[in-house]
Amino acid sequence: MQVDDTGEPGRTVTAERLLDAAEHAFLRAEFTVVRPLLQRFRHTFGTPDADHNAVPYAVLRAALAARVGNWPEAVRRCPDSDLDLAATGVVHALAVSALRRLGEEGGRHTESGTAALAIVLWAHLLDEDDPGDFRALLTERRGAPVSDELWEDARRHLLRRITDLMHALDVRGGRDVLASWETAWEAERAVLAVVLSDAGPDGLIPLASAARHLLTRGHRHALLHAYTARHPDPGTWTTNSPDHHACADVLAQALVEQGQDRVRAKEWAEALTDFGTAARLGHTLGAEERAAVLRAGRNVGRSRTGRDYSPVTRIQGLEQAQALLPEDGSLAAELTAELVRQGRKVFDSDPRQSRNRFARALVVSPRDRDARSGLDDHLKADLHRALDGAQPQGKIRVDAVRSLLRRDPGCSPALTWLRQRYAELAVAAASGGRTAAARSTVRSLLRYDGGEGPHGEELVDSVLVGLLTDAARFSGSENTRAGRERRVELLSTAAEIEGPARGHVRANRDAAVLELAEHLEVTASPSDVIELFLRDLMRIGVSARFDRTVETAYLRRARTREEEGDSGGAQRDRAYAERISAGLPDQGLLFGPSPGRRRDHDSGQGALF
């Protein structure tokens, strides 16, 4: 576009001429001229946004802002691409100013934007292809040609000085290689990674870009060291984690390369850890990597002399290798054998660990006989201890014992324990009112007691009554209220099961009720005796001792109520005592009905509720 130049009639001025004039004025240090020229440019042509004048205009504005120390404005104005469109001298002046700014007062002014600006500008000026013709600028200022050798020496010297400055600033600021300005400087020279508008306090280039650059430049160890310092637990590095997704592929490749190096160095366990972490980060092992994993798995935990053999390291390493190569049968077999070997080794000293190793071996190789035999041996030992009373029986599962008997039908401890366990379960079911379940359990007991079946209901009930009676006999050995209560409960349950020849069971139940009543008379309150009587376990007239005990309880409670002012309650208790007394014979019998009275006679006990 052209307009009339009002200063000199007849001449025209273009945007390009104004910018050229401003650039030349800047290079001659005529800064009082530069600003008016740029103001005239803006008033006449507007602010360029996309045409070829935008870059030189923006660089000039950035350079002017830098002159007066307005570095945020300089960073905002300066573009990070197409710098070859601007005058090389202006770019160089701005680049020198940025470096000086970074070096002021020992690095006190280390704004990330200024560092990014210096990196972008110097990467452009020192580009091997010299797009801005920096060499020509030096030739012009030197007044003599710059030889190839001199140019390369000078270029290398500048690169090194800038690199050293960035490194010193990183050290002073405590930046790791993933956020360092030195990494950004190298990445910018390689792939133009720095975007001025994105430069933030945490880094000049994205984390993934920094990681990829470090890997590409062979700085794998520095990358892994810095990343591990940020995330100390590699076990949490997964491709699906938001914290690690951005760098997952780069980290995986670095770990795979490190793992191969460690295999070559015979650091088997460390190599497998690297390969395992790489797999969690989404890496698929190639042929060479799979071969390296197989080699590490075969050697992990071992040494040439055998003196440094580590079973824990070997098992863990084989686990890792087998997880990485699940289809490899040799690794699975070796892992299984090692687990069984170590399970046997600590069978007595550490039973829990031994069980875990046998169980894990069965997961790896479900049909391995040695692993199954190891677990069976542990179960047999548990059965022996349970039968001897050294271990609670509840810790052993019925299903496990039945499974053992399928493999070893003649295992005596298993048969004995299972019969005892079924007996306990039958008694518990019957006591809880689950008679059908109790009968089913008894049938199971009979099957493991040598009976083929089928078993008739009378036989099942007879066995169930016997189990309840035996359990009551054992409970009766406890001279406590709870023991006597339990005995009464068991014998009452047995007495309720219909069948011939149950009279002795009822007689035992009545004797147990009497013992409990007399125990309560001595150790508890009269109300406890009365509550036992009201449960209707034994009718009036069956046992004179029981009737007297109940009568005495009513009279004692009547006295207590009378003392407390409850005359109505006392009167009722005495009335109940008189009714019980009226049914007593002259000479009380231990058990059974009074002479001249029938067992089915209504004694009136129901009226006492």
Side-chain angles (χ1 to χ4, degrees), residues 393-412:
Q393 295 201 17
K395 290 186 176 181
I396 302 175
R397 294 183 299 108
V398 171
D399 290 344
V401 179
R402 293 170 61 181
S403 178
L404 171 61
L405 284 171
R406 285 195 292 271
R407 293 186 295 274
D408 185 3
C411 181
S412 176

Side-chain angles (χ1 to χ4, degrees), residues 97-176:
S97 298
L99 280 185
R100 288 174 178 168
R101 174 69 173 179
L102 292 177
E104 286 178 357
E105 298 182 21
R108 182 171 62 85
H109 300 293
T110 53
E111 302 96 336
S112 61
T114 307
L117 181 64
I119 287 171
V120 167
L121 296 177
W122 281 107
H124 168 73
L125 292 171
L126 298 176
D127 191 324
E128 289 183 354
D129 296 332
D130 195 17
D133 208 6
F134 185 39
R135 185 174 179 178
L137 175 67
L138 296 178
T139 299
E140 179 183 348
R141 291 181 177 178
R142 186 169 179 265
V146 178
S147 65
D148 291 343
E149 182 179 358
L150 182 59
W151 164 249
E152 289 300 328
D153 285 345
R155 183 176 172 276
R156 281 194 297 269
H157 180 69
L158 274 172
L159 289 172
R160 185 68 262 166
R161 287 192 63 183
I162 296 171
T163 301
D164 290 344
L165 173 62
M166 297 298 171
H167 178 73
L169 293 174
D170 289 333
V171 171
R172 193 175 296 121
R175 292 171 171 270
D176 64 17

Side-chain angles (χ1 to χ4, degrees), residues 405-582:
L405 284 171
R406 285 195 292 271
R407 293 186 295 274
D408 185 3
C411 181
S412 176
L415 288 169
T416 302
W417 181 90
L418 198 58
R419 287 193 291 265
Q420 291 184 1
R421 184 59 177 157
Y422 277 134
E424 293 173 358
L425 294 173
V427 169
S431 299
R434 296 176 286 112
T435 307
R439 289 187 173 115
S440 176
T441 304
V442 169
R443 289 189 174 90
S444 297
L445 183 153
L446 291 172
R447 282 198 302 272
Y448 286 98
D449 201 23
E452 296 294 333
H455 306 292
E457 185 172 328
E458 175 55 31
L459 173 62
V460 171
D461 285 350
S462 178
V463 172
L464 180 56
V465 168
L467 294 173
L468 289 165
T469 302
D470 290 342
R473 188 177 301 111
F474 178 79
S475 297
S477 63
E478 300 180 21
N479 296 321
T480 62
R481 176 174 179 173
R484 288 181 169 85
E485 289 273 15
R486 177 63 174 161
R487 182 170 180 241
V488 168
E489 176 189 357
L490 292 168
L491 290 172
S492 297
T493 302
E496 291 172 0
I497 298 176
E498 297 181 0
R502 298 281 194 268
H504 68 287
V505 177
R506 287 188 285 272
N508 290 338
R509 187 271 317 275
D510 292 344
V513 172
L514 174 60
E515 289 180 5
L516 176 59
E518 291 178 339
H519 179 80
L520 294 176
E521 184 180 28
V522 175
T523 62
S525 68
S527 294
D528 289 330
V529 177
I530 294 170
E531 287 175 4
L532 173 63
F533 167 68
L534 295 179
R535 284 160 60 185
D536 200 20
L537 297 173
M538 183 163 44
R539 294 278 181 168
I540 297 172
V542 174
S543 168
R545 284 170 56 186
F546 180 75
D547 294 349
R548 288 196 186 97
T549 301
V550 175
E551 178 188 3
T552 301
Y554 272 114
L555 293 174
R556 287 175 60 193
R557 194 170 73 172
R559 285 194 298 271
T560 300
R561 285 179 167 177
E562 194 169 41
E563 292 171 358
E564 294 174 349
D566 183 7
S567 58
Q571 184 177 0
R572 286 193 299 274
D573 281 348
R574 288 194 179 94
Y576 295 153
E578 290 176 1
R579 296 193 62 177
I580 294 172
S581 176

Side-chain angles (χ1 to χ4, degrees), residues 63 68 184 248:
V68 296

